[in-house]
Structure formats: C-alpha cells, structure tokens
C-alpha cells in the first residue's frame, strides 16, 4: 500500500525590491527620450536622442524603461535611427499605460526592475521513496 503527501506552504511576507537588469545588454545607449506621446496598448514607440542615421540604434532583446512607470519593455526587433536621430521601436508587449513626450527613456543596463520575492517550501513524500524537498524563490516583475 502506497502512502503519499504533498506539502506546499509560504513563509514570511512578500518583499518588493529593485533589481538592476540582470540580462546583458546588446548595446549601450544613453540620452534617449520619447519623441511623441505613446498610448496604452501601442506596440511601437518613437524615441529620439540617438545619433543621426545610427545603424542598430536599438537591438532586439534589450530593455527600455519609460519615465513615469516602473515597467520594463523588451525590444522586439533591431531598428536604425533616421537622419534626425529618431528610432521607431517595436516592443514585445503592448504598453500598459499612456506616456507623455518627452519622457526620459532608460536603456539596457540602466533599466531597473521592481520585483517581488516570494518564499515557498514544498515537499513530496511517499512511504515507498525517500522524500524530495525543494525551496523556490520566485522573482515577479511588478507593474
């Protein structure tokens, strides 16, 4: 006869804290700002402040963060700057709110995530096998 149990419990309070972008940036970029206002639900933003005609002014996989929100957005595709230094940036996720121009835009390593850590213990125990215990720490981006 087999006997089994699964235990799952949370310990302590959920803690919010800042986490510098842990994903290596593909390009370093500073001085960017939102060229035109962007509306909630948009998948593209237009940035200014890049070098005129800069090739790959933004790189797919890098993150941007628009002043006025703690939300980080990932860049979907590489994009070049035009002769005025404007870049049309496609995002992997639609904007979660409206943003006003000329909001400052952080890029790559300058992006800071607000995350929440939850502490969970779990165990899977059977009479037949030895017990298995794991300890999970999950980082969840706050929006």
């Amino acid at each position: 006869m087999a006997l089994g149990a699964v235990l799952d419990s949370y310990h302590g309070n959920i803690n919010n804290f800042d986490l510098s972008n842990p994903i290596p940036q593909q390009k370093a970029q500073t001085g960017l700002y939102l060229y035109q206002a962007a509306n909630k639900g948009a998948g593209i933003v237009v940035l200014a402040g890049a070098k005129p005609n800069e090739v790959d002014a933004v790189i797919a996989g890098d993150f941007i963060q628009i002043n006025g929100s703690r939300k980080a957005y990932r860049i979907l595709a590489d994009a070049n700057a035009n002769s005025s230094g404007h870049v049309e940036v496609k995002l992997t996720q639609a904007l979660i709110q409206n943003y006003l121009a000329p909001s400052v835009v952080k890029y790559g390593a300058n992006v800071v995530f607000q995350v929440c850590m939850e502490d969970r213990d779990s165990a899977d125990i059977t009479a037949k096998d030895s017990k298995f215990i794991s300890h999970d720490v999950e980082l969840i981006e706050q929006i």
Side-chain angles (χ1 to χ4, degrees), residues 33-85:
Y33 60 94
L34 202 56
Y35 178 67
Q36 41 186 232
N39 295 322
K40 178 179 180 178
I44 296 174
V45 293
V46 180
L47 305 182
K51 295 175 187 166
N53 299 314
E54 183 177 359
V55 175
D56 293 338
V58 298
I59 304 292
D62 280 349
F63 286 90
I64 62 169
Q65 189 170 45
I66 305 168
N67 192 36
S69 174
R70 301 294 304 266
K71 174 70 179 144
Y73 296 98
R74 197 160 210 181
I75 298 169
L76 178 64
D78 296 357
N80 300 330
N82 66 17
S83 60
S84 300

Side-chain angles (χ1 to χ4, degrees), residues 7 29 33-34 37 48 85 114 131 133:
L7 306 173
Q29 190 67 275
Y33 60 94
L34 202 56
Q114 181 184 22
K131 70 180 183 175
I133 297 175

Side-chain angles (χ1 to χ4, degrees), residues 60-112:
D62 280 349
F63 286 90
I64 62 169
Q65 189 170 45
I66 305 168
N67 192 36
S69 174
R70 301 294 304 266
K71 174 70 179 144
Y73 296 98
R74 197 160 210 181
I75 298 169
L76 178 64
D78 296 357
N80 300 330
N82 66 17
S83 60
S84 300
H86 301 158
V87 185
E88 192 172 281
V89 181
K90 294 179 183 175
L91 306 172
T92 60
Q93 176 188 10
L95 299 177
I96 63 166
Q97 70 178 63
N98 295 329
Y99 294 97
L100 300 175
S103 297
V104 172
V105 175
K106 294 179 185 175
Y107 187 93
N110 296 320
V111 171
V112 177

